[in-house]
Amino acid sequence: LLLRVLQPKLSSTLLELSIAGCTRAGPQSMERVVELVSDAFNLRRLDLSQVKIEHYKLLPLCDAISKGQTLSYVSLSSTGFGKGPSAFACTCVTTLLQGHVAELDLSWNQFSAEIFSCLGETLAKRKMVKKLNICNCSGGCIDSLSTPVNCYLEQLQMDSALTSLDLSMSHMD
């Protein structure tokens, strides 16, 4: 099916793509999604929530998203974003946020303090994202008083673009 959508005529008219919940989508499907996001120059919404993305497919996906001139909504909720080395996830975050995304859903992924800090810094610099969902992303405590999401909160004061933020279930006291 994704191969049919990749045909030039179809990919040029595609405005929204959702494969949310397609739990059996594998690496080949993700390669096709990356191709489609790269080719669909009118794409406005992309929903890959609950689709497990292997970490080696994440950077090409983030790069394709960042180049989408019309792509304003992206959901990578519960995809495994943040698994693997934090430095790699930070590279993915930085790449992802180079584009025009105004609404970003990264909820139900597990972020370290380093990833949260990178997210906050990049959002503050780019000033593009208006609506951010990072609920239930704070995996565990750094120490008895702090959770990883606090590293994002420290950067929040420098983000003048954000108008909506969902931090629910972030294990904050």
Side-chain angles (χ1 to χ4, degrees), residues 87-106:
F88 177 76
C90 286
T91 300
C92 292
V93 164
T94 303
T95 302
L96 174 67
L97 295 174
Q98 293 304 310
H100 297 88
V101 175
E103 292 183 51
L104 181 59
D105 183 353
L106 295 173

Side-chain angles (χ1 to χ4, degrees), residues 15-139:
L15 298 176
E16 295 185 22
L17 173 63
S18 175
I19 61 167
C22 292
T23 56
R24 295 185 63 183
Q28 288 182 327
S29 296
M30 205 44 51
E31 285 177 20
R32 299 300 165 259
V33 167
V34 170
E35 289 176 36
L36 186 54
V37 170
S38 296
D39 293 344
F41 54 86
N42 288 316
L43 190 64
R44 291 179 181 24
R45 297 179 60 86
L46 176 64
D47 188 350
L48 302 178
S49 56
Q50 299 175 3
V51 176
K52 295 298 175 209
I53 302 171
E54 298 294 328
H55 81 276
Y56 64 92
K57 296 289 181 190
L58 191 57
L59 189 56
L61 176 64
C62 291
D63 187 50
I65 290 169
S66 74
K67 293 176 180 167
Q69 296 295 311
T70 60
L71 194 52
S72 63
Y73 171 84
V74 173
S75 177
L76 298 174
S77 173
S78 191
T79 57
F81 197 116
K83 281 190 175 177
S86 291
F88 177 76
C90 286
T91 300
C92 292
V93 164
T94 303
T95 302
L96 174 67
L97 295 174
Q98 293 304 310
H100 297 88
V101 175
E103 292 183 51
L104 181 59
D105 183 353
L106 295 173
S107 62
W108 292 88
N109 290 298
Q110 190 169 346
F111 292 169
S112 66
E114 184 180 353
I115 297 169
F116 272 120
S117 185
C118 176
L119 178 65
E121 288 172 16
T122 308
L123 286 169
K125 284 180 195 169
R126 291 285 301 145
K127 297 182 181 4
M128 285 296 295
V129 175
K130 308 235 180 302
K131 187 174 183 179
L132 178 64
N133 183 348
I134 51 174
C135 79
N136 202 36
C137 285
S138 202

Side-chain angles (χ1 to χ4, degrees), residues 5-19:
V5 176
L6 281 171
Q7 294 175 5
K9 185 175 180 179
L10 290 174
S11 65
S12 68
T13 59
L14 191 64
L15 298 176
E16 295 185 22
L17 173 63
S18 175
I19 61 167

